[in-house]
Amino acid sequence: MQTCGEKHLQLEPSVASWFQPNASLQLIDRSPCHSSYKFVSTGRGHRAATGPADQHFATTHHLGSVSLKKAEGVPCSRRMAEAIKVALGTQGMQYKNPMASFRGIYWYPPGGFTEWHTDGNQVRGWRLYLADIDEEGRSVMAVKDKDKRLLVWDRFYQANMFRVNPENPLFHAVAAQETHRVSFGIAISDKVADRILRTVKAKDLVERHPRHQEQ
């Protein structure tokens, strides 16, 4: 097995300065795995959001999006995990630890994306992602089903639910073509997933989302 490295690369000054004074930005080359950005608080922003100086508070595993760092020491991340625990309870979360059941907040600016991926071979279970968008029909989640692609165009108050299974990997991707898109991920229990599936039939989903397309 190859081990991921971590080499800091030089950023263009204009790019780095764009994040000041609230954060500094580092570009990390983690070959042979992937590259990523790392955001570090300068301590000059709003401390409730960014934390003390030098605290790493956000990153991206995919170069087309930005995600909030998941850690007990990050105030916003901790509050999100607490909200999930209050909303779902221990029976509604996949993991007993709310921070583990909180799968992250992801921001896709216009033109942002997450490339095709399967979430790896170390995790399994149901995932629920709530999407907040500026405009309907201008961002999309794509899913590969054998030799076809299903395009699920975002609408207001939309939630996408799917199951991660290493034995039957689900390739999926996201693209925010002409809008800002923020998604909030939760690892939900089988019990909650079953309740959702019983309540919302697949036929109803297709009828309410006429821009679902197969390619």
Side-chain angles (χ1 to χ4, degrees):
M1 177 183 293
Q2 292 180 303
T3 303
C4 296
E6 186 163 305
K7 177 182 177 183
H8 292 251
L9 304 178
Q10 186 68 36
L11 282 169
E12 291 287 338
S14 60
V15 175
S17 64
W18 190 83
F19 293 89
Q20 297 292 337
N22 296 320
S24 62
L25 175 63
Q26 300 168 354
L27 178 60
I28 315 298
D29 182 2
R30 301 184 65 235
S31 300
C33 298
H34 52 69
S35 294
S36 63
Y37 290 117
K38 182 182 290 185
F39 296 81
V40 181
S41 173
T42 61
R44 293 195 289 270
H46 192 285
R47 280 180 174 264
T50 64
D54 297 327
Q55 178 171 301
H56 169 194
F57 71 92
T59 186
T60 104
H61 297 294
H62 309 276
L63 293 181
S65 63
V66 176
S67 60
L68 178 75
K69 177 179 170 62
K70 284 176 46 184
E72 293 287 350
V74 180
C76 184
S77 183
R78 187 173 62 250
R79 290 172 187 148
M80 294 299 100
E82 292 170 352
I84 290 173
K85 183 177 180 179
V86 170
L88 296 179
T90 54
Q91 298 299 313
M93 301 183 299
Q94 179 181 353
Y95 307 106
K96 292 182 179 179
N97 182 355
M99 189 63 72
S101 292
F102 168 45
R103 304 311 295 172
I105 296 178
Y106 303 87
W107 167 49
Y108 302 86
F113 63 94
T114 292
E115 67 274 16
W116 288 108
H117 64 289
T118 64
D119 290 348
N121 59 3
Q122 303 298 319
V123 295
R124 66 175 65 241
W126 287 99
R127 301 292 180 264
L128 181 69
Y129 281 85
L130 311 176
D132 184 22
I133 53 175
D134 285 344
E135 298 181 72
E136 291 187 328
R138 297 184 179 273
S139 56
V140 63
M141 178 178 179
V143 179
K144 283 188 178 181
D145 180 15
K146 297 180 180 179
D147 58 343
K148 294 182 178 181
R149 289 184 301 164
L150 175 65
L151 303 182
V152 184
W153 294 90
D154 287 330
R155 301 185 69 179
F156 295 133
Y157 313 114
Q158 181 163 304
N160 296 319
M161 189 177 80
F162 57 92
R163 185 171 179 81
V164 178
N165 183 356
E167 285 75 39
N168 185 23
L170 178 70
F171 279 89
H172 54 286
V174 172
Q177 297 175 338
E178 299 175 358
T179 188
H180 288 275
R181 182 186 196 271
V182 176
S183 62
F184 180 94
I186 310 171
I188 59 176
S189 66
D190 289 348
K191 181 178 180 180
V192 169
D194 289 343
R195 186 181 304 167
I196 293 174
L197 290 173
R198 287 197 305 268
T199 304
V200 183
K201 297 180 181 179
K203 180 180 178 181
D204 294 334
L205 281 174
V206 173
E207 288 177 350
R208 287 202 297 269
H209 294 74
R211 290 202 65 184
H212 285 206
Q213 301 173 4
E214 284 190 355
Q215 292 188 353

